[in-house]
Amino acid sequence: KIDILFFASSRSFDFYVKQREISKELIACAGEATAKYIQSKGYQVSFFPDESGKVSFSAQLFSDWVGDKAVGFSVSNLSKQSYASQLDPSKVFILPTYTTKYRQEKITPCSVYVFTSPSNVDAFLKANEIHQGAKVVAWGDTTAQHLHALNIDTAVTLTKSDDSAVVEWLDTIW
């Protein structure tokens, strides 16, 4: 029996509700933007971290909040399962909900690149490269770690993973 449903993004929520019903489970998610989206669909969100970009810290807060409850994670095939890894494996239920597919598209060189996930980085690099002198923004710790593993320096790692955090940072450099 799953007590809590966890959604990493609005996308994972949308795919989940197309396939399954949310009954009496509590809802948790990875950030404020996802929480607002889910609430706009008429659901109550019981947990989301204030600093969603600090994934390890947020996952630990989530683990503390969960206690001994069972959690279902609506995930893509490429999920890093950062939150699930902090929990008792016997209380984790991975619910494959959608498939992330890379779209190889050549883009014009930019002065700033914002990467929202490790899979976003990988898809970009299949057809592109980071323009010399460009600033790279990591949308949270997991993305920053992936970029660093690829020897790509980041100008900033967002502590809050949402569009407003990107805009705030851009305001500081222009």
Side-chain angles (χ1 to χ4, degrees):
K1 175 187 169 265
I2 293 173
D3 304 300
I4 301 166
L5 289 172
F6 183 89
F7 300 101
S9 66
S10 56
R11 180 180 199 104
S12 68
F13 173 81
D14 283 344
F15 278 103
Y16 184 89
V17 297
K18 286 179 184 173
Q19 300 168 28
R20 300 174 176 99
E21 190 175 309
I22 297 175
S23 55
K24 296 182 183 191
E25 301 92 353
L26 295 174
I27 296 176
C29 60
E32 184 178 2
T34 302
K36 286 180 180 176
Y37 179 80
I38 292 169
Q39 289 166 340
S40 77
K41 301 295 183 182
Y43 295 89
Q44 180 179 340
V45 175
S46 299
F47 174 91
F48 67 90
D50 289 331
E51 294 182 308
S52 53
K54 294 181 177 180
V55 178
S56 295
F57 179 72
S58 296
Q60 186 57 55
L61 288 176
F62 179 66
S63 175
D64 294 345
W65 179 78
V66 166
D68 65 350
K69 294 179 183 72
V71 182
F73 290 87
S74 172
V75 298
S76 101
N77 60 313
L78 299 179
S79 171
K80 297 291 185 186
Q81 300 180 15
S82 301
Y83 277 71
S85 69
Q86 298 289 319
L87 302 175
D88 174 351
S90 70
K91 300 289 186 173
V92 171
F93 297 89
I94 302 301
L95 309 170
T97 309
Y98 66 102
T99 301
T100 299
K101 296 179 183 175
Y102 293 155
R103 193 168 109 197
Q104 294 182 34
E105 187 173 316
K106 190 81 173 146
I107 66 164
T108 304
C110 301
S111 57
V112 176
Y113 297 92
V114 179
F115 294 105
T116 60
S117 67
S119 60
N120 183 238
V121 173
D122 293 341
F124 174 84
L125 292 175
K126 287 204 176 281
N128 300 279
E129 57 186 46
I130 306 292
H131 181 68
Q132 189 171 359
K135 296 186 183 318
V136 175
V137 177
W139 191 287
D141 291 341
T142 305
T143 304
Q145 290 166 3
H146 189 68
L147 286 160
H148 292 148
L150 296 171
N151 294 314
I152 298 172
D153 293 327
T154 55
V156 65
T157 299
L158 301 176
T159 58
K160 197 169 191 176
S161 300
D162 64 27
D163 295 340
S164 64
V166 175
V167 172
E168 286 175 26
W169 180 78
L170 288 171
D171 284 343
T172 68
I173 64 166
W174 279 311

